Amino acid sequence: MKNYLVTGGAGFIGSNFVIYMLNKYDDVNIINIDKLTYAGNLENLKSVEGNEHYTFIQADICDKDAMQAIFDKYEIDYVVNFAAESHVDRSISDPEIFVQTNVLGTVNLLNIAKNAWQTGDDQYKDGVKFLQVSTDEVYGSLGETGYFMETTPLDPHSPYSSSKASADFFVKAYSDTYKFPVNITRCSNNYGPYQFPEKLIPLMINNVLQHKDLPIYGDGMQVRDWLYVEDHCKAIDMVIRGGKLGEVYNVGGHNERPNITIVKTIIDYIKKNVDDQVGEHLMKYVEDRKGHDRRYGIAPDKIKADLGWYPETTFEVGIVKTIKWYLENKTWMQNVTSGSYQQYYEKMYANK
Ligand code: NAD
Ligand code: TYD
């Protein structure tokens, strides 16, 4: 049996990863620790509740005692660090919590894992690994051509991407200084089930179904490289099992689309299949995001060559699966948008 400490496992990608792993393997135990911020939701994990290989603990990755207690109690083999404040717009209005969780929380986990795993000078228990889930946003923004490579210098712009880049530097420092066993994955924009509707795709699905404005920042021609979340989970699993220690792997979807194409695709699907009253009249061009990165794009050559990973899900297939999931899980959407979501939404979009 291998014991995985998954942090942030009640969030979007983390919960998909927990479900993916428990469905795929009989010989893994998952210890999911999550602070349950506005973005964490145990409803995502209903299908694994009661699974004997799954444990949930509510805790903050910044809490030294709580993290130490987990390493004391469980023989952790792998840390998969998803826990983060993840939304760029929130980082623009409130950067400090991003430093707290994304930087200090990661350093806290690194320290505690290092102490728990160390067997001698620069020596660690066999087979252990710390996987940092990072983002392509640490590379900054691309022009019309080219792709981010693992060798691209880090040039983050938003408070969010700056906090993730800082965390990446600490992970690298632990590898370089202490020979601590790590990998970093840097993925592009994920989409799929259980994504909180502050992010582009679920926000647009939620709004279009309610005939609400579809807020498009600036000219809507910013490009993101969309990665279906299950493909990402598979990549993380492969990097944990086969990634060369100390290496960074970019994980991209080969699915670049401008934002307005995404929004129009969602409108078209809902119009054809659900509600013919919706249409492009709902699109509303609003004030641009400050410091808005123009284009992200990954050529996932290294992870393909080294580990055989490639994105299996085309955008056309993934977006239909995703929209169908939200249509079948309207109660989930209602639950996550009750409470503080309305205040966030009004504050965020009222003056746009
Ligand atoms: P999310 O916001 O949906 O989930 C984050 C989870 O972390 C939540 O469950 C939250 O409760 C938990 N959390 C927050 N602060 C915590 C703390 N201090 N201690 C413990 N738990 C805490 O995020 P996501 O979209 O699932 O992203 C997961 C990871 O992947 C993040 O590290 C993010 O930077 C990275 N990433 C995401 C994307 C994307 O498109 N969503 C793209 C690239 C990288
Ligand atoms: P988002 O989902 O926030 O991811 P990220 O900023 O990490 O890439 O946004 C994706 C793109 O969609 C980004 O270019 C900003 C844009 N966007 C809008 O135009 N309107 C919106 O309401 C949101 C949330 C995002």
Side-chain angles (χ1 to χ4, degrees), residues 49 129 164 189 224 270 322 326 336 346:
E49 254 173 37
K129 186 182 279 190
K164 293 294 289 186
N189 287 60
R224 298 293 183 264
I270 302 290
T322 303
Y326 283 97
V336 301
E346 275 152 33

Side-chain angles (χ1 to χ4, degrees), residues 305-319:
D306 289 8
L307 304 175
W309 180 90
Y310 65 97
E312 289 173 42
T313 314
T314 62
F315 185 74
E316 287 63 35
V317 169
I319 192 70

Side-chain angles (χ1 to χ4, degrees), residues 87-88 137 189 198-200 215 217 224 259 289 292 349:
H87 192 40
V88 174
E137 301 190 25
N189 287 60
E198 63 188 351
K199 305 284 183 352
L200 180 73
Y217 300 168
R224 298 293 183 264
N259 293 338
R289 174 186 277 171
H292 201 168
Y349 293 98

Side-chain angles (χ1 to χ4, degrees), residues 24 29 48 55 63 112 150 155 158 181 185-186 198 224 251 290 297 316 319 346 351-352:
K24 185 163 177 189
N29 289 316
V48 298
T55 305
D63 182 334
I112 289 170
E150 287 79 359
D155 180 25
S158 70
T185 54
R186 296 191 179 129
E198 63 188 351
R224 298 293 183 264
V251 188
K290 285 184 194 299
E316 287 63 35
I319 192 70
E346 275 152 33
N351 300 321
K352 288 231 181 230

Side-chain angles (χ1 to χ4, degrees), residues 20 29 44 51 54 73 81 86 115 124 170 179 191 199 215 224 249 252 255 257 279 290 316 337:
Y20 176 88
N29 289 316
N44 302 5
N51 185 316
Y54 173 69
K73 182 163 179 190
N81 186 27
S86 69
N115 291 337
Y124 299 91
F170 275 100
K179 309 289 173 258
Y191 69 108
K199 305 284 183 352
R224 298 293 183 264
Y249 293 93
N255 278 312
R257 300 284 184 289
K290 285 184 194 299
E316 287 63 35
T337 54

Side-chain angles (χ1 to χ4, degrees), residues 11-232:
F12 162 48
I13 307 173
S15 59
N16 276 282
F17 180 74
V18 170
I19 294 165
Y20 176 88
M21 293 297 284
L22 290 172
N23 283 341
K24 185 163 177 189
Y25 299 108
D26 292 329
D27 60 349
V28 306
N29 289 316
I30 305 271
I31 297 104
N32 172 15
I33 75 104
D34 197 297
K35 184 179 172 186
L36 298 182
T37 68
Y38 77 92
N41 183 9
L42 289 180
E43 214 180 316
N44 302 5
L45 295 154
K46 274 225 163 88
S47 66
V48 298
E49 254 173 37
N51 185 316
E52 59 177 333
H53 297 297
Y54 173 69
T55 305
F56 174 74
I57 299 165
Q58 184 171 1
D60 185 335
I61 58 165
C62 302
D63 182 334
K64 289 189 171 56
D65 292 342
M67 293 307 108
Q68 186 61 54
I70 288 161
F71 275 88
D72 289 345
K73 182 163 179 190
Y74 302 96
E75 289 265 310
I76 302 294
D77 296 292
Y78 304 123
V79 175
V80 189
N81 186 27
F82 292 101
E85 288 293 333
S86 69
H87 192 40
V88 174
D89 290 324
R90 291 186 192 249
S91 82
I92 293 168
S93 48
D94 184 13
E96 274 187 41
I97 184 71
F98 285 73
V99 180
Q100 191 70 36
T101 288
N102 300 3
V103 186
L104 299 179
T106 300
V107 174
N108 186 40
L109 278 174
L110 283 166
N111 253 335
I112 289 170
K114 174 175 164 287
N115 291 337
W117 289 342
Q118 195 150 23
T119 53
D121 195 27
D122 293 345
Q123 301 288 318
Y124 299 91
K125 267 177 71 178
D126 278 346
V128 295
K129 186 182 279 190
F130 187 105
L131 188 138
Q132 175 69 2
V133 180
S134 186
T135 166
D136 60 357
E137 301 190 25
V138 298
Y139 296 119
S141 185
L142 291 165
E144 286 187 4
T145 57
Y147 295 100
F148 296 133
M149 308 302 287
E150 287 79 359
T151 49
T152 304
L154 303 200
D155 180 25
H157 298 135
S158 70
Y160 163 68
S161 54
S162 301
S163 69
K164 293 294 289 186
S166 302
D168 284 13
F169 278 128
F170 275 100
V171 175
K172 179 179 180 309
Y174 272 63
S175 170
D176 294 347
T177 309
Y178 311 114
K179 309 289 173 258
F180 184 63
V182 306
N183 281 129
I184 297 174
T185 54
R186 296 191 179 129
C187 66
S188 55
N189 287 60
N190 283 222
Y191 69 108
Y194 303 115
Q195 187 168 30
F196 192 76
E198 63 188 351
K199 305 284 183 352
L200 180 73
I201 288 179
L203 185 143
M204 295 298 164
I205 297 172
N206 188 34
N207 281 18
V208 79
L209 289 171
Q210 298 177 64
H211 295 199
K212 281 168 76 172
D213 286 346
L214 308 177
I216 293 164
Y217 300 168
D219 65 2
M221 290 305 292
Q222 301 81 10
V223 172
R224 298 293 183 264
D225 178 358
W226 294 94
L227 173 65
Y228 192 64
V229 65
E230 200 178 319
D231 284 336
H232 184 198

